[in-house]
Amino acid sequence: MTRAAFDAMAAAARALTLSNAALAKFAPFPDAFRWSGRSGAGIDAAAQVARWLADGEGPEADLHRAVAAAAPHASWLHTYTEAEVGAHFLENYGYFELFGPVGHYDAGGYRAYVVYWNAGLVYDWHCHEAEELYVVLSGRAIFRSEGEPDVELTRGGTRFHASLQPHALETTDSPLLAYIVWRGGGLGDLPRMGRA
Ligand code: ZN
């Protein structure tokens, strides 16, 4: 049961990548990937995501539904400590690696995450060496990147972050669910808070 839920999520991520030109150009979907046997449980965000029922049709909504179905079994993580972002943030945020070295599938150099933020959260400035592309699956948020105007993105919207370019986001009246792919140097790192 668990494995089938993850395979459905991987298939939905493939369909999304094939349908989204910016995503396909940023990092082609891997030809092959291998189930890691990893699963997990817990954290508050898992239950929030499992309860969030996607409306609409299309590859973003399909991946959202697959994520919601697998959410209770996913290997949820928090990059940050309570000292860095506060308890409220950690109760309303979480991510898991779908493809990558600590994720549910090993896919060579391809590294992709599913990330959730509840409504009314400020994800403060942070950066990392790897280049990054966000694809919004559901909800909306205001995306901030150093040197660029703020932009509000909704389903299907994409946002590119260059290597070490500081960025932040803020959810307003809706949660946000995103599929995020990394590439380039620093693939093994974690994001760190701050603008440098
Ligand atoms: Zn980032």
Side-chain angles (χ1 to χ4, degrees):
M1 156 58 208
T2 304
R3 172 71 192 274
F6 285 101
D7 284 351
M9 191 161 45
R14 180 176 184 274
L16 173 69
T17 307
L18 296 179
S19 76
N20 187 301
L23 180 56
K25 187 174 174 209
F26 180 78
F29 195 76
D31 294 328
F33 48 87
R34 189 173 51 81
W35 171 243
S36 69
R38 202 173 270 114
S39 65
I43 90 160
D44 301 290
Q48 295 170 30
V49 172
R51 279 199 304 270
W52 185 11
L53 303 178
D55 58 357
E57 296 178 2
E60 294 87 3
D62 289 345
L63 180 53
H64 178 142
R65 278 187 278 271
V67 168
H73 312 290
S75 189
W76 290 95
L77 299 165
H78 283 149
T79 305
Y80 306 109
T81 64
E82 188 173 328
E84 288 175 302
V85 296
H88 177 76
F89 190 92
L90 294 182
E91 288 161 10
N92 288 280
Y93 149 87
Y95 77 96
F96 59 87
E97 188 172 88
L98 183 54
F99 299 102
V102 298
H104 295 289
Y105 297 93
D106 187 343
Y110 187 76
R111 197 156 197 198
Y113 307 89
V114 171
V115 192
Y116 165 82
W117 295 263
N118 205 347
L121 278 196
V122 174
Y123 183 22
D124 214 343
W125 293 95
H126 58 281
C127 62
H128 41 78
E129 183 185 355
E131 295 181 320
E132 174 176 68
L133 193 80
Y134 274 64
V135 182
V136 175
L137 300 180
S138 283
R140 65 177 158 273
I142 298 162
F143 285 74
R144 310 188 199 286
S145 302
E146 198 164 86
E148 295 177 45
D150 295 352
V151 62
E152 186 178 54
L153 295 179
T154 58
R155 177 174 284 168
T158 61
R159 183 73 156 175
F160 171 74
H161 299 131
S163 179
L164 298 175
Q165 181 183 23
H167 48 281
L169 70 78
E170 182 173 355
T171 56
T172 52
D173 58 345
S174 167
L176 177 73
L177 188 68
Y179 183 68
I180 299 177
V181 179
W182 276 22
R183 73 176 184 192
L187 265 192
D189 298 346
L190 290 170
R192 57 181 187 269
M193 298 305 289
R195 296 185 77 141

